[in-house]
Amino acid sequence: MALCQGFDETRLLIAADPPATGDGAGKLISLRHPKSGNTMCCLLVDGMLQELNWFRQSYSSWFLGDYVSEDGGLYTATRLDPVFVLLPIFEEARMKKRDDPGKFRPLDEIIFVDGYPAYQQLLSVAEVSMQVVCDIKEIDSTKYFRLDDSKVLAWLYHKACQLKEMLSTLDSNYAAREDKQRLTDAVSILGEYLKDEPWLKLLCDRLRIDLPEAPKKAPDTETLPTAYESSPGIWNGSQEKSKSDNKVTTRAAGRQAKKIKPETESHNIRDMFTRASSRKK
């Protein structure tokens, strides 16, 4: 499929089925990553938010019917709970000070994020999804939202327990692990979308587990280009070559450069998949 209007290149995308009530039209949007604050690329389809990832192996192509796609990259769009993405925005908007719980603010003010106009497209999504973690007041048919600490912690606790049970169904290795180990794994996965302060630390205190260490980023892992900087449906071969050339180093003048090994590049693929794969070996 062509991911960006105006381009004819065919790319392979694996995504969840869109809601039956919509038209299935998707939009590429740029949002802030809830943990790092860096720009992340997402796919919004009929109110369903999906995180867009890219994985590419060297010297690969796709055979799509009678057509050959020279770019062997694989795009995956995985569903993402919008509460994770909106949590830092609502945290900043309430302007909490010590014991003061903060201010109630209208939704259109909360999701106005400088440099990220795509948040405005999440207005209807935020109105529904953020009710589970917010106190709400309605004045003159206008709803005012304020993040509530106890509701956020209860929601995170439910997410951790739910994910812990799901991990036990993945394979026999996870099922054989102790309950606390599976709970720690679940919190570690959630921690990839939560800032350490305050939410991840509060969740660990509630569950009485140690704060998980930040996973080390694989050397061949990079961030997917944003929706506005570069279409993820386009791969620039010259840029790929330039990256490889920059990795060549020489120890002394006149000495032959170190031979470059064929690379496997992944864009925004979460480290949890790497960990899961290594456990099966």
Side-chain angles (χ1 to χ4, degrees):
M1 65 177 290
L3 288 180
C4 194
Q5 189 176 14
F7 296 95
D8 298 328
E9 291 85 353
T10 299
R11 298 293 182 264
L12 187 64
L13 170 67
I14 299 177
D17 291 332
T21 56
D23 58 8
K27 296 180 181 178
L28 290 176
I29 60 176
S30 291
L31 303 173
R32 278 192 341 203
H33 194 281
K35 186 175 184 72
S36 66
N38 298 330
T39 301
M40 64 185 296
C41 190
C42 294
L43 181 64
L44 183 63
V45 184
D46 296 329
M48 182 172 65
L49 188 64
Q50 303 178 57
E51 183 182 9
L52 196 62
N53 304 310
W54 180 52
F55 176 78
R56 180 181 183 274
Q57 289 184 323
S58 300
Y59 314 113
S60 60
S61 300
W62 289 106
F63 292 90
L64 307 174
D66 296 331
Y67 177 82
V68 177
S69 175
E70 295 182 4
D71 179 9
L74 174 63
Y75 297 87
T76 61
T78 54
R79 294 190 63 173
L80 177 62
D81 194 322
V83 176
F84 285 107
V85 176
L86 295 169
L87 190 59
I89 309 302
F90 277 67
E91 169 67 20
E92 295 172 4
R94 65 174 172 170
M95 297 180 285
K96 180 182 177 181
K97 296 180 180 179
R98 298 180 181 177
D99 297 332
D100 182 9
K103 300 180 179 180
F104 284 88
R105 299 181 63 183
L107 197 57
D108 57 347
E109 287 186 6
I110 294 176
I111 64 174
F112 178 81
V113 183
D114 188 31
Y116 291 88
Y119 277 97
Q120 298 298 314
Q121 301 182 43
L122 300 180
L123 186 63
S124 59
V125 176
E127 184 175 4
V128 175
S129 62
M130 294 304 290
Q131 292 187 27
V132 71
V133 292
C134 287
D135 293 327
I136 303 174
K137 288 183 178 181
E138 187 168 351
I139 303 175
D140 296 333
S141 70
T142 300
K143 290 183 180 180
Y144 294 81
F145 290 72
R146 183 182 66 187
L147 204 64
D148 181 271
D149 289 357
S150 61
K151 290 183 178 181
V152 174
L153 191 56
W155 177 79
L156 289 174
Y157 178 82
H158 172 74
K159 283 287 186 182
C161 294
Q162 189 180 45
L163 185 55
K164 182 198 71 172
E165 296 303 319
M166 189 201 73
L167 288 176
S168 63
T169 65
L170 292 179
D171 57 33
S172 57
N173 291 333
Y174 269 117
R177 293 168 69 87
E178 294 182 1
D179 188 76
K180 188 174 182 179
Q181 289 178 323
R182 286 188 284 116
L183 185 60
T184 301
D185 288 341
V187 173
S188 179
I189 294 173
L190 294 179
E192 296 180 11
Y193 295 92
L194 293 171
K195 292 184 177 181
D196 291 352
E197 293 285 350
W199 306 120
L200 188 56
K201 185 178 184 302
L202 288 174
L203 178 60
C204 290
D205 292 343
R206 169 75 180 274
L207 297 172
R208 297 181 179 179
I209 62 176
D210 295 330
L211 190 69
E213 295 182 1
K216 295 181 179 180
K217 187 176 179 182
D220 57 356
T221 301
E222 298 180 7
T223 303
L224 187 70
T226 69
Y228 300 112
E229 292 174 353
S230 176
S231 167
I234 303 171
W235 173 71
N236 190 327
S238 61
Q239 292 178 357
E240 182 82 9
K241 185 176 185 301
S242 176
K243 291 179 184 178
S244 298
D245 292 343
N246 289 336
K247 295 181 180 179
V248 179
T249 57
T250 55
R251 296 184 179 180
R255 185 173 296 181
Q256 186 177 2
K258 192 175 181 179
K259 185 178 180 180
I260 307 173
K261 297 181 180 179
E263 293 183 321
T264 297
E265 293 202 359
S266 302
H267 288 247
N268 205 24
I269 297 293
R270 293 191 295 273
D271 290 335
M272 67 177 183
F273 293 109
T274 303
R275 297 197 301 271
S277 299
S278 62
R279 286 173 182 149
K280 293 181 180 180
K281 295 180 180 179

